[in-house]
Amino acid sequence: MRFTSTPRGARLARRLVSHRLAAWGYPYDSGPNETTTLIASELAANAVRHGRVPGRDFHVRLIAPPASPGAVIRIEVSDTRAEKLPTLTTAGPDAETGRGLYLVSLLAERWAVSPRPGGAPGKAVWAEVSTGSKPSDSC
């Protein structure tokens, strides 16, 4: 799905991920849905804040197998700004930003940055969530 690189686009992306997972058998209040939706929110916010190129959208790709223990959900958010790669940092106690990727690193089984699929300009930040875990298991 493609979204405008605006805060509204990031909100819509988060909602789409939650709704799509619920339709695929991962209820709204399930650990996999809550965790993947939170990760989607962080990655979409980063795409809007750090990966925005005027006139270009960001893309969200969601892959989820049928609901079963041990399956892996993959969320991928891509933007057209290849020169600004995300880095995992530790925010100070008074910092208002800088915790998003830290949360992703705690909640996801794994995450990384890769070139956009199909050779398109930019980057893709992806994360994988195990359907056997809940947000409270990771924190």
Side-chain angles (χ1 to χ4, degrees):
M1 209 55 200
R2 187 170 69 182
F3 299 92
T4 58
S5 291
T6 63
R8 182 176 186 267
R11 283 191 307 274
L12 290 173
R14 180 188 70 233
R15 289 187 61 153
L16 172 79
V17 166
S18 183
H19 289 306
R20 182 60 45 207
L21 287 171
W24 289 345
Y26 299 95
Y28 292 110
D29 61 350
S30 69
N33 190 312
E34 290 176 344
T35 300
T36 305
T37 300
L38 177 59
I39 290 172
S41 179
E42 294 298 336
L43 297 182
N46 282 351
V48 169
R49 176 174 274 186
H50 305 293
R52 183 177 186 277
V53 173
R56 300 288 178 125
D57 297 333
F58 71 93
H59 296 113
V60 175
R61 183 174 170 200
L62 181 65
I63 301 167
S68 63
V72 175
I73 298 170
R74 182 178 171 113
I75 178 76
E76 181 179 288
V77 177
S78 59
D79 61 58
T80 54
R81 195 146 219 195
E83 76 279 6
K84 290 190 89 173
L85 297 177
T87 56
L88 184 61
T89 59
T90 304
D94 296 328
E96 293 183 13
T97 62
R99 292 180 182 83
L101 282 179
Y102 179 70
L103 286 173
V104 170
S105 73
L106 290 176
L107 296 172
E109 295 296 316
R110 32 186 224 134
W111 73 277
V113 182
S114 58
R116 280 183 72 185
K123 65 182 173 299
V125 183
W126 57 267
E128 293 179 343
V129 176
S130 171
T131 61
S133 66
K134 296 180 182 173
S136 60
D137 295 341
S138 300
C139 297

